[in-house]
Amino acid sequence: MLSLRLARGAHPLVLLRRLLVVLAAAGAGFLLLCALGYAAAHPDTPQDSLVRLLWCLAPLAAVVQFAVAVARNDPATRPRDGMDAIGFGPVRLSVLAATSTALSCGTGSVLALLAYLELRGDLGGTPLSGAAAHALDGQAGLPWGAAVTLLGLLPALGAGACALLLRPSRERRARGAHAAPADDPAPSTPREDRPAYIGLPWGIAVIACGLALEAYVGHAPAPAPEALLALPGQDGGASPALIGGWLLTFVGLVLAGPGLTHWCGALLSSGRPRPVRLLAGRILQDAATRVGRPLGVLCAVAAGTVAAVELYGAMWRPTGPGPFGPLTWLGAGVVIACVSATAVTAAADTRTSRAETSAALARLGIPASLLRGAAAVRTGALVAVLAPLTWVIAELTALPLTRS
């Protein structure tokens, strides 16, 4: 009930983010139902059904990541003065964030079920009833127990991720439970965060291992798109070395994201920088952990998209069926939209976290143009470093399968 009351009084931008979570959850839920419908209509091919279900994990993970980013940036779930007095400390607020996320994802799952049943023709009474009955295997009955289980998966994962990632640390809970006396001017020093640049060597090592596995594939031609939906090494499916190399390369990009962001800031603030460059570099270093991981995920998705264009771009035709079906496009759209929105939300979160610093600079007479210039320099530095790196990794990913 409190989550609903907070949603009613939320800022329009916060409501827009929650609406985007609902839509993203609806897209992922629709893909899960499509995989279930295919399994019900083709009981003689359990392997194909399993692989279709496994391919839904990427949109599912992207939606959960976006939902956690929205919950972290929600003003209603942030610790504020006086909340402990009414029984809403950091732990209760993390539970509130998990509840709000579960409501948003659950609403999206219900919308996905209604749209799926309508397109299959199970509801009737509208012009869209049965419009995609053949594509969605409308001739087979839908197992309702499995449908409810799959639709409940996303709210459970979203709420669990929020409760796990947004819970306060043990030191913070201890400080909240045992507040320092009024005459004690020096409460305990919080534990320092893990430096952002520590993950960069690991990310580079994982990327190198992934590219080495892909090179091990040799001069093999690119597998057909339908072969990617087969189990690795079976029925013409892509080899385990190829899929493992792709996964390692993209995971390495995610691990290297915070470190790359940190060193972008370090380079900006090196030497004898002017105020704009110094401020931009320091902000990037401070926000490397918060912004770097979503940027790494965004770079991994962009590299995968560029590699897919390199491998299958020649098969796309202006007319006629292409190499991928509409459900593949839906899944790709959900992933790209979620990771992009997550990166934007993380950037907004860092801006909110340094609001007091910006206000202090304004009181000191720092012009707003300097802050805007620093933001432009930060964006330009990240684009200048991450865009070429993403393109190079995408080209190296596709190279073993495109060379003659």
Side-chain angles (χ1 to χ4, degrees), residues 279-332:
L279 183 60
R282 295 304 186 193
I283 290 177
L284 270 185
Q285 288 178 283
D286 181 67
T289 302
R290 188 175 299 176
V291 177
R293 193 59 53 81
L295 286 178
V297 176
L298 181 60
C299 290
V301 173
T305 303
V306 174
V309 172
E310 289 288 334
L311 292 177
Y312 307 111
M315 301 175 62
W316 291 338
R317 297 181 294 274
T319 59
F324 302 111
L327 295 180
T328 304
W329 287 111
L330 175 60

Side-chain angles (χ1 to χ4, degrees), residues 6 14-15 36 59 75 129 140 158 166 173 182 186 286 307 356 383 398 400:
L6 291 175
V14 177
L15 293 178
L36 177 62
S129 179
L166 302 184
R173 291 198 300 267
D286 181 67
E356 295 183 0
V383 172

Side-chain angles (χ1 to χ4, degrees), residues 95-122:
V95 174
L96 179 62
T99 304
S100 300
T101 302
L103 289 176
S104 299
C105 295
T107 303
S109 297
V110 172
L111 292 179
L113 178 62
L114 293 177
Y116 181 76
L117 294 178
E118 180 66 20
L119 292 176
R120 276 171 52 103
D122 294 337

